[in-house]
Each structure stands twice: as structure tokens, then as C-alpha cells.
Amino acid sequence: MLKEDSFFERVYEVARQIPEGKVTSYGAIAAYLGMAKGARMVGWAMNASGAANVPAHRVVNKKGLLTGKHHFEGVNLMQQLLENEGVKVVDNQIQNFAKYFWDPLESLK
DNA sequence: TGGTTGACTAAGT
DNA sequence: CACTTAGCCAACC
């Protein structure tokens, strides 16, 4: 199987390792991939993750805001998935974000 | 090849 | 608090 060495595939592999009930940020994934300034690329990769088996709903911005929810089928789907995993979301923001935060730099190093 | 794009982030107004 | 500017960089056309 030809694995695309593209940036997207790397993002997908990290995203797939996010444990249930945990979330991370675009910047954290980017930093893990060696592009601290590449948070936007991660978000863009998520945009293309539609066909991939990637839990994009576990990736939020640095403040714990569900900035990407507008890209899901429904604006409530992303929050629904997170709450289904035990992550409380209020007003598009993850509550107790620090507690749910999963850092690939610490977990995958 | 080069300009446009974007689910980010930080700092400024 | 809402909006703007600026930096960042791979993928896309």
C-alpha cells in the first residue's frame, strides 16, 4: 500500500492516536510534526480527512474552541461526538480543556 | 512557477 | 468584546 508521505497522512496518523475522551490542538499536532507554525496546515488536513478514518472532532483550536464544527455535517455533530466521549462542551468551548488535553509531544515522544 | 487558500495563533486596534 | 493585521507554510490550480 502506497502510503502518501504527504503532510496530510502524517496528521492523520497522529489524529488517529488521540485516545477517546481526549482532545488536542492543531498547534500541538503541528509541533509534533515539526511545524510549530503549521497549525493551519493541520486544520487544512482535517478538512481533507473526510474520507479518512480520522477523529477530527477531537482536534480543536488552542483555546478548546470547536472552531472546526462548521465543517461537520451539522454544527452540533462535533460537540455531540465529544460529549459522547465524556467531553463537556459549552458554547463551542470544551470545559476543563486542560484536563482533556492530549499532547502528542508528551504521549508519542 | 507563482498566487491563492486556510478547521491556527498571537498581538494589536 | 469584535474585528484586523501579520506570520506561518504545504497543497492546490
Side-chain angles (χ1 to χ4, degrees):
Chain A
M1 52 172 198
L2 289 323
K3 179 118 68 99
E4 311 259 344
D5 284 341
S6 66
F7 179 76
F8 288 7
E9 286 297 329
R10 298 191 183 200
V11 174
Y12 299 160
E13 287 198 37
V14 176
R16 290 193 192 102
Q17 296 177 71
I18 303 175
E20 259 184 45
K22 293 283 185 176
V23 296
T24 192
S25 69
Y26 304 98
I29 295 175
Y32 176 73
L33 296 177
M35 291 181 297
K37 309 292 182 59
R40 311 177 77 178
M41 314 309 52
V42 176
W44 197 4
M46 292 289 106
N47 185 29
S49 70
N53 182 19
V54 178
H57 62 278
R58 295 188 187 135
V59 184
V60 298
N61 77 349
K62 208 176 189 181
K63 295 174 185 139
L65 290 169
L66 278 55
T67 51
K69 65 184 297 180
H70 299 290
H71 294 265
F72 284 79
E73 296 185 15
V75 293
N76 293 329
L77 180 58
M78 187 175 187
Q79 177 172 336
Q80 196 77 48
L81 291 170
L82 288 171
E83 292 191 331
N84 189 44
E85 296 181 356
V87 180
K88 182 172 275 186
V89 179
V90 177
D91 191 24
N92 297 335
Q93 182 164 353
I94 294 175
Q95 302 301 293
N96 206 350
F97 180 54
K99 177 180 174 183
Y100 297 115
F101 186 70
W102 176 83
D103 187 353
L105 289 170
E106 294 296 319
S107 302
L108 303 180
K109 70 181 177 186

